[in-house]
PDB file of all heavy atoms in Angstrom:
ATOM      1  N   LEU A  55     216.228 192.562 237.950  1.00 96.00           N
ATOM      2  CA  LEU A  55     217.328 191.853 238.601  1.00 96.00           C
ATOM      3  C   LEU A  55     217.479 192.161 240.078  1.00 96.00           C
ATOM      4  O   LEU A  55     217.543 191.244 240.910  1.00 96.00           O
ATOM      5  CB  LEU A  55     218.644 192.170 237.868  1.00 96.00           C
ATOM      6  CG  LEU A  55     219.903 191.487 238.409  1.00 96.00           C
ATOM      7  CD1 LEU A  55     219.793 189.969 238.272  1.00 96.00           C
ATOM      8  CD2 LEU A  55     221.148 192.013 237.701  1.00 96.00           C
ATOM      9  N   LEU A  56     217.533 193.422 240.432  1.00 96.00           N
ATOM     10  CA  LEU A  56     217.870 193.789 241.805  1.00 96.00           C
ATOM     11  C   LEU A  56     216.882 193.268 242.848  1.00 96.00           C
ATOM     12  O   LEU A  56     217.309 192.887 243.952  1.00 96.00           O
ATOM     13  CB  LEU A  56     218.020 195.312 241.920  1.00 96.00           C
ATOM     14  CG  LEU A  56     219.117 195.935 241.034  1.00 96.00           C
ATOM     15  CD1 LEU A  56     219.329 197.390 241.420  1.00 96.00           C
ATOM     16  CD2 LEU A  56     220.420 195.148 241.093  1.00 96.00           C
ATOM     17  N   PRO A  57     215.573 193.201 242.555  1.00 95.00           N
ATOM     18  CA  PRO A  57     214.656 192.688 243.582  1.00 95.00           C
ATOM     19  C   PRO A  57     214.905 191.236 243.984  1.00 95.00           C
ATOM     20  O   PRO A  57     214.493 190.817 245.071  1.00 95.00           O
ATOM     21  CB  PRO A  57     213.279 192.832 242.909  1.00 95.00           C
ATOM     22  CG  PRO A  57     213.454 193.922 241.912  1.00 95.00           C
ATOM     23  CD  PRO A  57     214.846 193.739 241.391  1.00 95.00           C
ATOM     24  N   VAL A  58     215.576 190.452 243.136  1.00 94.00           N
ATOM     25  CA  VAL A  58     215.809 189.043 243.466  1.00 94.00           C
ATOM     26  C   VAL A  58     217.253 188.788 243.919  1.00 94.00           C
ATOM     27  O   VAL A  58     217.642 187.646 244.136  1.00 94.00           O
ATOM     28  CB  VAL A  58     215.471 188.132 242.262  1.00 94.00           C
ATOM     29  CG1 VAL A  58     213.996 188.231 241.930  1.00 94.00           C
ATOM     30  CG2 VAL A  58     216.316 188.483 241.039  1.00 94.00           C
ATOM     31  N   LEU A  59     218.023 189.853 244.082  1.00 95.00           N
ATOM     32  CA  LEU A  59     219.399 189.721 244.548  1.00 95.00           C
ATOM     33  C   LEU A  59     219.524 190.155 246.000  1.00 95.00           C
ATOM     34  O   LEU A  59     218.815 191.051 246.456  1.00 95.00           O
ATOM     35  CB  LEU A  59     220.344 190.591 243.711  1.00 95.00           C
ATOM     36  CG  LEU A  59     220.842 190.073 242.371  1.00 95.00           C
ATOM     37  CD1 LEU A  59     221.888 191.036 241.817  1.00 95.00           C
ATOM     38  CD2 LEU A  59     221.413 188.679 242.465  1.00 95.00           C
ATOM     39  N   ASP A  60     220.448 189.520 246.701  1.00 90.00           N
ATOM     40  CA  ASP A  60     220.775 189.966 248.044  1.00 90.00           C
ATOM     41  C   ASP A  60     221.406 191.350 247.969  1.00 90.00           C
ATOM     42  O   ASP A  60     222.087 191.686 246.993  1.00 90.00           O
ATOM     43  CB  ASP A  60     221.742 188.969 248.693  1.00 90.00           C
ATOM     44  CG  ASP A  60     222.039 189.327 250.140  1.00 90.00           C
ATOM     45  OD1 ASP A  60     221.260 188.926 251.019  1.00 90.00           O
ATOM     46  OD2 ASP A  60     223.064 190.015 250.375  1.00 90.00           O
ATOM     47  N   GLU A  61     221.208 192.167 249.001  1.00 86.00           N
ATOM     48  CA  GLU A  61     221.741 193.534 249.004  1.00 86.00           C
ATOM     49  C   GLU A  61     223.262 193.559 248.900  1.00 86.00           C
ATOM     50  O   GLU A  61     223.837 194.548 248.454  1.00 86.00           O
ATOM     51  CB  GLU A  61     221.296 194.264 250.272  1.00 86.00           C
ATOM     52  CG  GLU A  61     219.808 194.558 250.310  1.00 86.00           C
ATOM     53  CD  GLU A  61     219.403 195.313 251.559  1.00 86.00           C
ATOM     54  OE1 GLU A  61     220.292 195.556 252.411  1.00 86.00           O
ATOM     55  OE2 GLU A  61     218.222 195.664 251.683  1.00 86.00           O
ATOM     56  N   LYS A  62     223.911 192.489 249.300  1.00 86.00           N
ATOM     57  CA  LYS A  62     225.374 192.406 249.233  1.00 86.00           C
ATOM     58  C   LYS A  62     225.820 191.532 248.056  1.00 86.00           C
ATOM     59  O   LYS A  62     226.954 191.063 248.020  1.00 86.00           O
ATOM     60  CB  LYS A  62     225.940 191.843 250.537  1.00 86.00           C
ATOM     61  CG  LYS A  62     225.602 192.671 251.775  1.00 86.00           C
ATOM     62  CD  LYS A  62     226.234 194.059 251.701  1.00 86.00           C
ATOM     63  CE  LYS A  62     225.933 194.846 252.969  1.00 86.00           C
ATOM     64  NZ  LYS A  62     226.520 196.202 252.930  1.00 86.00           N
ATOM     65  N   GLY A  63     224.932 191.321 247.115  1.00 93.00           N
ATOM     66  CA  GLY A  63     225.239 190.443 245.998  1.00 93.00           C
ATOM     67  C   GLY A  63     226.388 190.946 245.136  1.00 93.00           C
ATOM     68  O   GLY A  63     226.609 192.148 245.005  1.00 93.00           O
TER      69      GLY A  63
END
Side-chain angles (χ1 to χ4, degrees):
L55 181 63
L56 300 190
V58 296
L59 278 187
D60 184 86
E61 291 182 357
K62 300 296 182 180

